[in-house]
């Protein structure tokens, strides 16, 4: 997991200068401000819209859109798995040719990126299809076993509109595969981030604290303790990070002096912020206090990361600043409102049960955004 905010070509300790021995001209203050502001904006978009879509996802009926629930056990193991993966990639880049590794990864993320981008743009594209569009329904079903032992492996429902979105996403995929352009990289990165926030659900706030706390230590160790994360981030030619050129004003779309933000710094806080939005809805007070508080906390934390990185000219573990802000701000609000017990006793139901509840309540009542969500009473 790439989870560091870095400025690899503007005097950072890791870069030191261009690899060929020449020194890049320093970026202008305007270019730096534009790059950092754009990264901040791009980070906020998938969190905001992904959180909104996570509410609909939690009460959806389509098996292909069912969220993946993260339990406390998953959260505790995640930093260990992420560390092993990161170290494995680092060793691969040291032992094998970087060119062949990136070629293999490019093909892998080419397929994933097309699917993620198609899923992302599908709700927006539906508004542009004419009413008489022949929208046929399809289902991709893959099972193993037979009779009573038959088990579903893949059950994906889609329609003709989804196929059109898949075709449009494929154009971006070919662009990325052939040119590795930073705009195509960002389109895939934003799609991965939004899908992550939408489809990865924490089952309760305690699990979120475990996950963020573990990755807080992970991020600090791998950025400050070693050069592993920054090395992988700069060697890994895949859309696992958002990038924005600091020399855009001078070179236009062909600029190549990038600041970058790992997708882990978006998705990990994002799924916690999305959980707080669903908690807000479960309170049935018609307010989104905890969502807006955590969203503002994210802006504060990422802004502080950018400020510290610019001052010290060194890549920063963004979760070092994001985790205390995203957990601390909502907890302080809960303390002020006397809702700490409600916050930590909130539990999300099983997605399949939520789908059954929504289906059963179709007649007679309008399904609300809180369907499929419940609060566990102590």
């Amino acid at each position: 997991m790439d989870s560091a905010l870095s400025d690899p070509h503007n005097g950072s300790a890791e870069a030191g200068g261009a690899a060929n021995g020449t020194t890049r001209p320093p970026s202008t203050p305007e270019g730096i401000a534009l790059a950092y502001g754009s990264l901040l904006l791009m980070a906020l978009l998938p969190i905001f819209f992904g959180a909104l879509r996570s509410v609909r996802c939690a009460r959806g009926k389509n098996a292909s859109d069912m969220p993946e629930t993260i339990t406390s056990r998953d959260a505790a193991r995640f930093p260990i798995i992420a560390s092993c993966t990161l170290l494995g990639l680092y060793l691969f880049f040291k032992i094998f040719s970087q060119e062949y590794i990136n070629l293999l990864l490019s093909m892998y993320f080419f397929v994933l990126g097309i699917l993620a981008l198609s899923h992302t743009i599908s709700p927006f594209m539906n508004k542009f299809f004419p009413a008489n569009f022949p929208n046929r329904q399809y289902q991709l079903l893959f099972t193993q076993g037979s009779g009573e032992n038959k088990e579903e492996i893949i059950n994906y429902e889609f329609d003709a509109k989804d196929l059109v979105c898949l075709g449009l996403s494929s154009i971006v995929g070919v662009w990325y595969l052939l040119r590795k352009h930073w705009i195509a990289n960002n389109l895939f990165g934003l799609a991965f981030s939004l899908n992550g926030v939408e489809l990865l659900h924490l089952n309760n706030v305690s699990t979120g604290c475990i996950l963020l706390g573990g990755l807080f230590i992970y991020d600090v160790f791998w950025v400050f303790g070693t050069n592993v994360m920054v090395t992988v981030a700069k060697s890994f030619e895949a859309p696992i990070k958002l990038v924005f050129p600091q020399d855009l004003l001078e070179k236009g779309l062909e600029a190549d002096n990038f600041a970058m933000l790992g997708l882990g710094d978006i998705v990990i806080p994002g799924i916690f912020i999305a959980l707080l939005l669903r908690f807000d809805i479960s309170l049935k007070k018609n307010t989104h206090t905890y969502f807006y508080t955590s969203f503002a906390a994210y802006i504060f934390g990422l802004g502080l990361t950018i400020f510290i990185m610019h001052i010290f000219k060194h890549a920063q573990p963004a979760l070092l600043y994001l985790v205390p802000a995203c957990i601390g701000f909502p907890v302080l609000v809960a303390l002020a409102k006397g809702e700490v017990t409600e916050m930590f006793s909130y539990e999300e139901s099983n997605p399949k049960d939520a789908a059954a509840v929504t289906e059963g309540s179709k007649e007679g009542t309008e399904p609300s955004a809180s369907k499929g969500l419940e609060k566990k009473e102590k």
Side-chain angles (χ1 to χ4, degrees):
M1 173 185 294
D2 172 30
S3 185
L5 178 64
S6 68
D7 178 9
H9 300 308
N10 193 37
S12 74
E14 292 76 23
N20 59 6
T22 61
T23 303
R24 290 176 181 268
S27 302
T28 62
E30 294 82 3
I32 295 173
L34 177 63
Y36 291 154
S38 299
L39 285 178
L40 178 60
L41 178 61
M42 286 192 291
L44 295 177
L45 290 175
I47 291 177
F48 186 83
F49 290 106
L52 295 178
R53 289 173 59 156
S54 76
V55 176
R56 294 191 294 270
C57 177
R59 54 190 174 92
K61 299 178 297 177
N62 192 342
S64 61
D65 291 331
M66 284 293 181
E68 184 71 27
T69 302
I70 300 174
T71 65
S72 57
R73 190 174 183 178
D74 298 327
R77 291 185 298 188
F78 193 82
I80 301 173
I81 296 172
S83 295
C84 294
T85 303
L86 182 66
L87 185 59
L89 286 171
Y90 177 79
L91 294 175
F92 264 99
F93 280 117
K94 290 293 184 181
I95 298 172
F96 300 104
S97 171
Q98 181 175 322
E99 179 183 355
Y100 294 114
I101 296 174
N102 279 320
L103 178 62
L104 181 63
L105 292 172
S106 294
M107 296 302 299
Y108 176 70
F109 281 97
F110 166 74
V111 176
L112 286 185
I114 289 175
L115 295 175
L117 187 58
S118 176
H119 182 266
T120 299
I121 66 174
S122 180
F124 303 103
M125 290 299 299
N126 285 339
K127 300 176 183 179
F128 297 98
F129 287 100
N132 60 349
F133 182 82
N135 193 30
R136 296 181 179 178
Q137 302 294 317
Y138 303 93
Q139 183 179 22
L140 180 63
L141 182 61
F142 183 71
T143 63
Q144 70 175 6
S146 60
E148 296 181 355
N149 297 323
K150 182 179 290 187
E151 180 183 357
E152 287 187 3
I153 304 299
I154 298 175
N155 185 0
Y156 189 80
E157 298 176 3
F158 58 99
D159 53 34
K161 293 180 180 179
D162 293 325
L163 293 178
V164 173
C165 294
L166 192 66
L168 294 174
S169 301
S170 298
I171 297 175
V172 178
V174 173
W175 182 26
Y176 170 78
L177 195 63
L178 297 179
R179 296 290 304 276
K180 293 293 191 303
H181 198 278
W182 60 272
I183 294 179
N185 173 91
N186 287 348
L187 288 175
F188 277 172
L190 289 170
F192 286 139
S193 299
L194 190 145
N195 278 273
V197 175
E198 176 187 0
L199 299 174
L200 292 176
H201 288 198
L202 297 164
N203 65 346
N204 55 51
V205 174
S206 297
T207 298
C209 292
I210 293 171
L211 179 65
L212 267 67
L215 290 175
F216 172 90
I217 298 172
Y218 157 90
D219 212 16
V220 171
F221 173 77
W222 288 112
V223 174
F224 284 153
T226 72
N227 68 338
V228 170
M229 184 176 290
V230 175
T231 300
V232 170
K234 295 195 298 184
S235 303
F236 203 84
E237 292 183 5
I240 60 166
K241 54 185 178 288
L242 299 180
V243 299
F244 200 90
Q246 301 179 65
D247 53 348
L248 180 68
L249 300 177
E250 291 80 22
K251 296 185 178 181
L253 296 180
E254 297 304 318
D256 58 358
N257 185 8
F258 296 105
M260 59 186 176
L261 176 67
L263 299 190
D265 298 326
I266 302 172
V267 176
I268 299 303
I271 61 177
F272 186 74
I273 293 171
L275 172 68
L276 292 179
L277 172 61
R278 300 191 296 274
F279 169 62
D280 273 323
I281 293 172
S282 76
L283 295 176
K284 299 179 181 179
K285 295 184 178 180
N286 295 320
T287 61
H288 296 157
T289 304
Y290 294 101
F291 171 66
Y292 290 128
T293 299
S294 57
F295 195 73
Y298 183 87
I299 297 174
F300 170 79
L302 190 56
L304 181 59
T305 307
I306 293 172
F307 175 76
I308 296 296
M309 187 190 69
H310 184 65
I311 294 298
F312 291 98
K313 307 297 183 185
H314 191 286
Q316 294 295 311
L319 294 182
L320 172 64
Y321 310 96
L322 290 171
V323 169
C326 290
I327 294 178
F329 283 30
V331 169
L332 289 176
V333 171
L335 283 170
K337 297 180 68 174
E339 294 177 341
V340 174
T341 301
E342 288 85 346
M343 174 183 282
F344 282 90
S345 63
Y346 171 73
E347 184 89 14
E348 294 204 340
S349 62
N350 185 284
K352 293 183 179 179
D353 295 339
V357 170
T358 305
E359 178 67 20
S361 61
K362 262 188 173 181
E363 298 181 2
T365 59
E366 183 70 21
S368 67
S370 60
K371 288 276 194 265
L373 307 176
E374 64 179 12
K375 204 164 35 173
K376 181 175 65 177
E377 299 295 337
K378 284 190 174 181

